[in-house]
């Protein structure tokens, strides 16, 4: 039986996408299937769907933010992942970071790049929308940051990120992290359990 590879639609600007990324390797081992990582632009999805970030939607709602914090703690314990360190520069404009993710795919360094970008956003957080800061951070992770950030400005790279984002919206996405198993969509890090169950046929 060939199992359907689950897709992970992500933007580095989402701390919940970071937590999902941290949880995915153990899930991949259990289900013997690799996730397909799909870079999207969260700002583009928000604009297309009239959605807003949790920072805005939770503002002023009694008990909701507190529950989200409890839910995150449960996730961290269940999946035994490193918690994120809140980025003091949040929200960070991730346009160039996400374009560079496409460039990293073309350059064959995608996995290294994804690990590095999440690390510098949510483990040792930096102002990653500052080109000089991003260049230095990515280079410190062993990447040819100059080449990646230069390729991020190429028309084909920009077009691919737009296409990924538009296709995500067309399939029903409204935020990040979003997962697909075939045509079945799951939203939010907590849904990783359902993703695992569906792929493993439980």
């Amino acid at each position: 039986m060939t199992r359907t590879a689950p897709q992970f639609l992500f933007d580095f600007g989402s701390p919940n996408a970071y937590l999902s990324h941290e949880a995915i390797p153990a899930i991949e081992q259990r289900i013997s299937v690799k996730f397909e990582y799909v870079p999207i632009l969260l700002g583009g999805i928000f604009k297309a769907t009239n959605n807003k970030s949790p920072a805005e939607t939770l503002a002023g709602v009694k008990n909701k933010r507190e529950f989200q914090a409890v839910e995150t703690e449960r996730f961290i314990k269940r999946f035994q992942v490193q918690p994120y360190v809140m980025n003091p520069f949040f929200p960070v404009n991730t346009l160039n970071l996400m374009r560079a993710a496409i460039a990293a795919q073309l350059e064959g360094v995608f996995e290294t790049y994804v690990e590095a970008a999440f690390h510098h956003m949510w483990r040792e957080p930096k102002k990653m929308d500052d080109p000089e800061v991003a260049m230095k951070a990515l280079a410190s992770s062993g990447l040819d940051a100059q080449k990646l950030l230069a390729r991020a400005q190429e028309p084909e790279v920009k077009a691919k990120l737009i296409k990924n984002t538009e296709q995500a919206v067309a399939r029903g996405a409204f935020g990040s992290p979003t997962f697909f198993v075939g045509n079945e969509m799951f939203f939010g890090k907590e849904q990783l359990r359902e993703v695992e169950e569906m792929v493993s046929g439980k």
Side-chain angles (χ1 to χ4, degrees):
M1 184 182 82
T2 304
R3 290 181 173 178
T4 304
Q7 291 179 309
F8 171 38
L9 280 57
F10 73 96
D11 183 307
F12 297 118
S14 164
N16 288 325
Y18 159 77
L19 290 173
S20 300
H21 168 68
E22 290 291 297
I24 282 171
I27 297 172
E28 289 177 330
Q29 282 197 320
R30 289 195 294 269
I31 64 177
S32 302
V33 180
K34 292 281 284 182
F35 278 65
E36 177 192 350
Y37 278 54
V38 181
I40 50 89
L41 187 64
L42 190 53
I45 286 185
F46 282 171
K47 191 173 180 181
T49 60
N50 198 32
N51 195 6
K52 293 181 175 65
S53 72
E56 291 179 85
T57 58
L58 297 182
V61 181
K62 185 175 174 62
N63 297 332
K64 193 172 182 182
R65 188 184 295 276
E66 289 78 3
F67 173 72
Q68 295 270 321
V70 169
E71 197 171 50
T72 295
E73 280 302 314
R74 287 177 186 152
F75 182 91
I76 288 166
K77 286 176 183 172
R78 179 184 304 120
F79 289 98
Q80 297 181 317
V81 296
Q82 290 279 350
Y84 61 84
V85 178
M86 191 60 202
N87 193 309
F89 305 103
F90 187 82
V92 174
N93 184 327
T94 57
L95 178 59
N96 283 327
L97 278 182
M98 298 316 301
R99 285 174 175 169
I102 302 290
Q105 287 180 319
L106 298 174
E107 291 289 331
V109 293
F110 184 61
E111 287 189 15
T112 304
Y113 177 82
V114 168
E115 191 64 44
F118 270 128
H119 178 83
H120 294 297
M121 277 290 296
W122 299 111
R123 287 301 302 152
E124 295 180 28
K126 300 170 182 68
K127 187 171 171 50
M128 292 296 283
D129 50 8
D130 181 318
E132 287 188 18
V133 171
M135 186 95 64
K136 190 175 177 183
L138 296 170
S140 75
S141 294
L143 291 155
D144 188 338
Q146 196 163 0
K147 180 188 263 191
L148 291 174
L149 292 171
R151 286 210 73 175
Q153 302 309 314
E154 293 178 3
E156 65 168 317
V157 169
K158 292 179 178 181
K160 176 61 174 167
L161 182 61
I162 290 170
K163 185 179 179 183
N164 283 0
T165 303
E166 289 176 345
Q167 286 181 337
V169 172
R171 294 174 75 190
F174 53 86
S176 172
T178 295
F179 308 93
F180 283 96
V181 180
N183 292 321
E184 292 284 332
M185 187 182 100
F186 302 86
F187 174 72
K189 65 185 184 298
E190 296 78 17
Q191 296 263 299
L192 270 171
R193 282 184 298 176
E194 280 73 16
V195 171
E196 181 173 350
E197 285 175 5
M198 176 164 273
V199 175
S200 60
K202 289 181 180 176

